[in-house]
Amino acid sequence: MHYLGVDVGSVSTNIVLLDEEMDVVEKIYLRTKGSPIKAVQDGFKILKANYNDMKIGGVGTTGSGRHIASTLIGADAVKNEITAHAVAALEIDKDVKTIIEIGGQDSKIIILRNGVVSDFGMNTVCAAGTGSFIDRQAERLEIPIEEFGDYALESNTTVRIAGRCAVFAESDMIHKQQLGYNKSDIIRGLCDALVRNYLNNVGKGKEVLPKIFFQGGVAANKGIKKAFENALSYEVFVPEHYNVMGSIGAAIIGRESAEKLGMTKFKGFNLAESKFTSTSFECNDCTNRCEVVKINENNNDIGCFGDRCGKWSHKIVM
């Protein structure tokens, strides 16, 4: 028996396949590109080609697009990213007390005590420190993103960069370049600034204790990891599957839900070949005037979401 986890985010869609021991058998990373339905289908085309005969015992979805993914796939559990990342981390190490998670366009901190989420924080409006911002700076400096963190480790001195705002940070970096500072020192300064911004905003008021896990795509950046260790004076651990931890947590939760129900709602890998369309309408039944999204599969309406009262999302529209 195997288990699926799907994490649909604003930047990437990640799919994992776990075995009975909750080890990763397959992981798929795809760019969402504003089309979550297509991203999920592209992922399932890969799964169908390689694992079509595999028996799936449970499915979970998470991420900002978790509801639409659940409608497409037939998920047994739909959970927020905080819960999914916490479950995945605790599966690896029960002693984890702090999770730093930085993705493509958001970042969060999760505080765990005695194996339970006791507090969390998320970034609000600024993208400074997220993966998309770092990608932009790597591109501007003409450095492959895979090497960006290595540049920071080559530096012997840091350059003070304003990290509170993405616009100001970029302007400050350009100014420092014009003054003649080398790339390594500027990049180290940026890493330090982004970590400082994270701890002062996302982590404000939170008690950061070891053991600390660093998850999300930005965890691949060695410069950011080192900057966190310098700022916190603790070792920071990056899990093997740091970039798909949300999907792993979703799969574990999906397994638990399916086992409680005694069956899975999973629709199968054939959804890769289905024709999906989405439409929206405004419900006029109350003053909320909710904008409701309706998903259609092969000319059959399969579900709605987006309403506040649950009138549409709690039933299959036919």
Side-chain angles (χ1 to χ4, degrees):
M1 194 73 74
H2 289 73
Y3 307 91
L4 272 173
V6 180
D7 182 354
V8 181
S10 54
V11 173
S12 67
T13 293
N14 307 315
I15 302 173
V16 298
L17 184 64
L18 306 183
D19 62 17
E20 284 281 0
E21 284 70 45
M22 298 292 96
D23 293 325
V24 176
V25 174
E26 178 71 89
K27 61 179 180 180
I28 299 168
Y29 173 92
L30 299 163
R31 291 281 182 173
T32 304
K33 296 180 180 178
S35 301
I37 294 176
K38 183 179 184 302
V40 171
Q41 282 195 284
D42 288 345
F44 269 68
K45 286 177 183 176
I46 298 172
L47 292 174
K48 183 180 180 181
N50 297 306
Y51 306 101
N52 193 40
D53 296 329
M54 184 172 284
K55 187 170 179 58
I56 303 299
V59 182
T61 62
T62 189
S64 56
R66 60 187 179 273
H67 295 293
I68 191 169
S70 174
T71 301
L72 302 180
I73 299 166
D76 301 297
V78 182
K79 286 292 181 180
N80 60 69
E81 303 97 306
I82 301 294
T83 304
H85 276 276
V87 167
L90 291 168
E91 179 69 22
I92 297 172
D93 194 328
K94 301 296 184 185
D95 294 328
V96 175
K97 289 185 172 64
T98 307
I99 298 171
I100 296 168
E101 197 277 331
I102 306 179
Q105 288 189 343
D106 62 12
S107 55
K108 57 186 75 73
I109 187 169
I110 306 169
I111 306 299
L112 299 164
R113 298 294 183 265
N114 300 315
V116 178
V117 176
S118 64
D119 196 7
F120 70 91
M122 300 184 68
N123 69 334
T124 51
V125 294
C126 185
T130 61
S132 57
F133 174 70
I134 296 173
D135 282 348
R136 156 71 182 155
Q137 299 314 310
E139 180 181 356
R140 190 180 61 77
L141 294 171
E142 297 183 338
I143 296 172
I145 187 61
E146 297 81 9
E147 301 174 14
F148 198 76
D150 293 327
Y151 272 76
L153 297 184
E154 294 173 2
S155 171
N156 294 317
T157 182
T158 185
V159 175
R160 185 79 178 184
I161 301 291
R164 180 157 292 190
C165 167
V167 176
F168 292 160
E170 182 169 320
S171 298
D172 211 8
M173 289 178 68
I174 293 171
H175 177 61
K176 293 299 193 295
Q177 284 179 271
Q178 292 169 337
L179 290 177
Y181 289 92
N182 66 54
K183 287 183 179 179
S184 292
D185 291 345
I186 292 172
I187 291 171
R188 178 180 172 182
L190 176 65
C191 290
D192 289 341
L194 299 183
V195 166
R196 191 167 59 245
N197 179 47
Y198 175 94
L199 295 175
N200 289 337
N201 291 281
V202 181
K204 185 177 182 180
K206 306 292 187 289
E207 185 182 21
V208 178
L209 295 176
K211 195 170 192 175
I212 302 170
F213 269 20
F214 188 9
Q215 302 175 182
V218 176
N221 189 310
K222 298 175 184 176
I224 298 287
K225 175 183 180 292
K226 183 64 176 177
F228 269 118
E229 291 178 330
N230 290 339
L232 297 170
S233 299
Y234 293 129
E235 185 176 3
V236 173
F237 296 88
V238 177
E240 179 184 359
H241 303 292
Y242 61 89
N243 56 342
V244 293
M245 292 292 277
S247 303
I248 293 172
I252 295 170
I253 297 167
R255 174 183 183 170
E256 293 171 352
S257 297
E259 288 177 347
K260 287 179 182 177
L261 190 62
M263 59 173 289
T264 179
K265 301 175 185 176
F266 181 51
K267 295 180 179 180
F269 293 118
N270 287 332
L271 68 89
E273 310 301 330
S274 293
K275 181 180 179 181
F276 291 100
T277 57
S278 63
T279 57
S280 62
F281 63 91
E282 185 178 272
C283 178
N284 297 312
D285 290 351
C286 74
T287 56
N288 283 328
R289 301 180 72 87
C290 297
E291 291 184 348
V292 183
V293 177
K294 179 164 59 177
I295 304 297
N296 181 285
E297 179 182 7
N298 300 327
N299 297 318
N300 292 311
D301 294 329
I302 60 172
C304 292
F305 55 91
D307 53 333
R308 298 181 185 179
C309 68
K311 173 181 177 180
W312 297 99
S313 56
H314 288 171
K315 66 180 181 180
I316 299 297
V317 180
M318 298 301 293

